[in-house]
Amino acid sequence: MASSFTKFVACLTLLALLLGTSSAQLTPDFYCDSCPGLLDAVRNQIKLAVARENRMGASILRLFFHDCFVNGCDGSLLLDDTPTFVGEKRAAPNLNSARGFEVIDAVKAAVEEVCPGVVSCADILAISARDSVVELGGPSWNVKLGRRDALTASQAAANTSIPPPTSNLDQLVSSFQAQGLSAQDMVALSGGHTIGQARCTSFRSRIYNETTIDGFFAATRQAGCPRTAGSGDNNLAPLDMQSPTCFDNYYYKNLVARRGLLHSDQQLLSGGFSDSQVRLYSGDSDAFSRDFVAAMIKMGDIKPLTGNNGEIRKNCRRVN
């Protein structure tokens, strides 16, 4: 009883603080009073989506990355193009690649049933990313909430802010530092590639032209990705061939074995400063989980819209 009363008082105190400021800080308890059923509603929909297709967990996690790297975690990636509006879905890093938007639609609909007009799409995406990791066996964390949704998007920023799979180590560090993330954050967040798949176009050059790759691994991947551009471009291969639907530290074990699928992956173990961190994570899954969680929380803090900025979208695909 005392615990429930304490939580109630905390919620009232938080609500008072939020009403008194136009730029509230993000907090895990943001919706404790206004939408107590939020977390259950999101979790149930993500469970269903991952049960239908376990690859979807990786796709949702990737949506969160690609949203946060473009003008902050504001749900701008979720906006559809219209005759008068150009969104981010057709930017090079997302075109024919970003997926899972219908899952976010389903999560939004479920949340609207329990608390209409209260929870932003940006926050729904943040929670969904966490729950996707958990559903695939990864760590959990308290997602900080209170974001509002963007009224605009930037295809140009999406084309320049999201690091491509051809990036070298210096370019990766620069891309992450531009978002306020450290080199250590970059290596930990790259571990998200322990789940999911990539298209042949993303790794063709590596498996045919690079020498920093295990020969057997390259031959295995060549079987499904012809050398000629335009042939099999959309054929998929797992980013982690050992356990592609399990969130674990095999991504780093693969790098040690020179079996990183993308050029940008293998760059993390290429004789540079990040080698020691990769080797640490390859042998210590707890260290990877701890640092991944810390980096995900930090990434979620990138330039959120709060207070009176932005809006709470009724439909994640369009502004109100």
Side-chain angles (χ1 to χ4, degrees):
M1 184 72 176
S3 176
S4 297
F5 179 74
T6 300
K7 183 176 181 181
F8 175 70
V9 171
C11 286
L12 289 181
T13 302
L14 176 62
L15 182 60
L17 289 172
L18 295 179
L19 291 174
T21 180
S22 62
S23 58
Q25 296 298 307
L26 303 184
T27 168
D29 296 327
F30 188 85
Y31 298 106
C32 63
D33 184 61
S34 60
C35 190
L38 168 63
L39 297 183
D40 285 341
V42 176
R43 184 183 304 112
N44 291 338
Q45 290 300 314
I46 294 300
K47 280 181 177 290
L48 290 172
V50 175
R52 286 193 298 265
E53 182 194 3
N54 48 29
R55 179 190 170 203
M56 188 55 70
S59 297
I60 298 300
L61 177 61
R62 186 167 183 261
L63 288 183
F64 186 56
F65 271 77
H66 283 211
D67 183 45
C68 290
F69 266 63
V70 182
N71 298 327
C73 310
D74 59 4
S76 59
L77 174 59
L78 305 176
L79 292 169
D80 283 344
D81 287 0
T82 73
T84 57
F85 175 84
V86 177
E88 297 164 16
K89 292 181 177 178
R90 295 183 61 80
N94 299 321
L95 184 63
N96 298 320
S97 176
R99 59 195 298 273
F101 298 106
E102 72 285 352
V103 173
I104 300 303
D105 292 340
V107 176
K108 174 66 170 176
V111 171
E112 287 294 299
E113 286 187 9
V114 297
C115 46
V118 172
V119 184
S120 68
C121 297
D123 277 345
I124 284 173
L125 181 54
I127 302 168
S128 296
R130 186 273 309 275
D131 289 352
S132 293
V133 169
V134 172
E135 280 301 298
L136 295 177
S140 184
W141 61 93
N142 291 324
V143 179
K144 293 165 66 175
L145 303 167
R147 302 170 189 82
R148 289 167 64 85
D149 295 321
L151 300 172
T152 60
S154 177
Q155 187 178 104
N159 280 324
T160 58
S161 299
I162 300 169
T166 55
S167 300
N168 62 35
L169 186 59
D170 288 341
Q171 290 168 332
L172 289 171
V173 171
S174 178
S175 293
F176 278 72
Q177 286 182 338
Q179 306 301 330
L181 298 167
S182 69
Q184 177 176 316
D185 295 328
M186 181 271 291
V187 179
L189 289 171
S190 295
H193 282 181
T194 193
I195 53 176
Q197 301 187 56
R199 295 185 301 152
C200 170
T201 52
S202 299
F203 58 85
R204 176 182 281 123
S205 179
R206 170 156 168 75
I207 61 175
Y208 285 105
N209 302 325
E210 296 187 16
T211 58
T212 59
I213 188 169
D214 174 74
F216 173 78
F217 175 70
T220 301
R221 295 281 70 90
Q222 289 169 6
C225 182
R227 183 188 292 270
T228 305
S231 179
D233 283 1
N234 292 320
N235 290 352
L236 298 172
L239 289 160
D240 168 10
M241 67 181 296
Q242 301 297 324
S243 53
T245 61
C246 181
F247 197 96
D248 53 27
N249 66 333
Y250 262 100
Y251 168 78
Y252 301 100
K253 294 178 184 289
N254 291 335
L255 297 185
V256 172
R258 300 191 304 151
R259 293 184 173 186
L261 182 62
L262 306 179
H263 175 80
S264 55
D265 288 331
Q266 197 62 51
Q267 282 288 293
L268 302 186
L269 190 76
S270 58
F273 73 90
S274 56
D275 285 14
S276 58
Q277 192 175 347
V278 169
R279 294 188 186 280
L280 169 65
Y281 293 161
S282 71
D284 189 342
S285 60
D286 289 339
F288 163 51
S289 293
R290 179 189 65 241
D291 290 352
F292 178 81
V293 163
M296 284 293 291
I297 293 172
K298 188 174 177 180
M299 184 172 71
D301 282 340
I302 298 175
K303 293 185 288 188
L305 298 174
T306 59
N308 296 321
N309 297 314
E311 65 178 8
I312 305 298
R313 282 186 220 139
K314 298 175 183 178
N315 183 324
C316 292
R317 293 176 179 266
R318 58 177 181 267
V319 298
N320 294 340

